[in-house]
Amino acid sequence: MHLKIENLVIHYGRIAAVRGVSLHVDTGELVCVTGPNGAGKSSLLLAIAGAIPLTSGSIRLDGREIGGTVPEAIARRGISLVPEGRHIFNRLTVEENLYLGASSRDSRAEVRNDLERIFQQLPILRERAKSLAGSLSGGEQQQLAIARALMSRSQLLLLDEPSLGLAPKIIGQIYEIISDLRRSGLTFLIVEESMTRALDMSDRVYVMASGVIRTSGRSSDLASDENLNDAYFGLTAASPDGSG
């Protein structure tokens, strides 16, 4: 599953939140977009998921244009968004939340099989299956949000700040789960404000500030880039092609 974004522009009224962003995610990769608050990172994910309109630009999945497509159609193509703040249904049980993730699927037998697989991967969700989702800890809620996205049989997961509001130990556990899921064949595009964490756990990183990509590259290469902090805070000018 290959995602390619070219010259993406997003406006909120007269304000340009994303200005000519280009990036790609190859099948099986874990790619991070990092940058300070207000960089346009969440808007980027929302546009990919079809939740907000594009002003211009292209979003292609396996060569087919999906920019401007309704969220339901994008989900059927195999993309799921786990939004910032998780957005689970607190007054429903864990199990009910998971079934909602599969609401567009027809085969109930396959859904039950997938539920059992997720319970094997994330055993705490089996333990809490009949509990109200609002009673879960922050880390458990993040696991539930990821699992709900998996119930749609997505192959590309968009995760917006999966570490937000979690203790360091729990953040480590969440990223261990993400790594395990990646080894099972999933592809990830993750927004992560912590540049250190983004470099540590990804194949490639895009550094975004003020709506543009300031620099990008393989994580191993960027880790030694003396100008990386300047790029993060928007002090390094982006190149004309938006790739840094």
Side-chain angles (χ1 to χ4, degrees):
M1 180 166 284
H2 177 79
L3 179 73
K4 186 174 184 180
I5 297 171
E6 293 183 300
N7 300 317
L8 186 66
V9 177
I10 300 168
H11 280 85
Y12 295 104
R14 295 183 178 180
I15 299 173
V18 175
R19 301 183 288 133
V21 163
S22 298
L23 61 80
H24 72 276
V25 183
D26 294 329
T27 301
E29 275 196 312
L30 195 160
V31 174
C32 274
V33 178
T34 189
N37 282 332
K41 307 183 300 296
S42 294
S43 295
L44 173 65
L45 293 194
L46 289 168
I48 297 169
I52 59 173
L54 319 181
T55 302
S56 61
S58 173
I59 303 174
R60 292 183 177 271
L61 183 66
D62 293 336
R64 291 179 57 188
E65 181 65 43
I66 62 169
T69 306
V70 297
E72 294 80 6
I74 291 174
R76 286 194 294 270
R77 291 290 309 277
I79 297 178
S80 281
L81 170 66
V82 179
E84 180 181 337
R86 299 177 278 277
H87 293 197
I88 61 171
F89 295 95
N90 289 332
R91 296 190 178 186
L92 298 181
T93 67
V94 167
E95 191 173 62
E96 288 167 339
N97 270 271
L98 291 172
Y99 275 122
L100 280 176
S103 59
S104 64
R105 296 173 56 187
D106 296 326
S107 173
R108 305 317 294 172
E110 290 182 358
V111 169
R112 287 193 294 271
N113 288 338
D114 286 349
L115 183 66
E116 177 59 29
R117 176 177 51 81
I118 282 172
F119 281 158
Q120 291 175 3
Q121 293 173 315
L122 304 172
I124 189 61
L125 298 184
R126 185 196 299 277
E127 294 176 22
R128 305 296 302 275
K130 302 302 182 183
S131 301
L132 293 180
S135 70
L136 272 58
S137 69
E140 291 167 349
Q141 289 184 4
Q142 187 64 66
Q143 291 186 51
L144 176 57
I146 292 171
R148 184 179 60 189
L150 293 174
M151 285 295 290
S152 67
R153 286 210 166 171
S154 296
Q155 293 300 305
L156 171 59
L157 266 62
L158 313 174
L159 306 185
D160 194 354
E161 296 282 7
S163 61
L164 185 68
L166 302 180
K169 179 180 178 180
I170 305 302
I171 293 171
Q173 293 173 358
I174 293 298
Y175 274 113
E176 284 178 13
I177 290 167
I178 292 170
S179 295
D180 288 343
L181 292 171
R182 184 208 174 174
R183 283 190 287 270
S184 73
L186 296 178
T187 303
F188 287 89
L189 178 61
I190 301 178
V191 160
E192 173 55 72
E193 189 168 333
S194 168
M195 182 168 61
T196 299
R197 194 173 297 120
L199 291 171
D200 283 347
M201 45 77 65
S202 65
D203 296 303
R204 293 185 296 108
V205 170
Y206 291 87
V207 181
M208 194 170 178
S210 302
V212 301
I213 302 297
R214 296 291 176 174
T215 192
S216 65
R218 298 201 63 81
S219 303
S220 55
D221 296 331
L222 289 180
S224 59
D225 187 340
E226 295 179 354
N227 297 316
L228 193 58
N229 281 329
D230 286 347
Y232 183 97
F233 291 107
L235 303 176
T236 299
S239 65
D241 65 359
S243 61

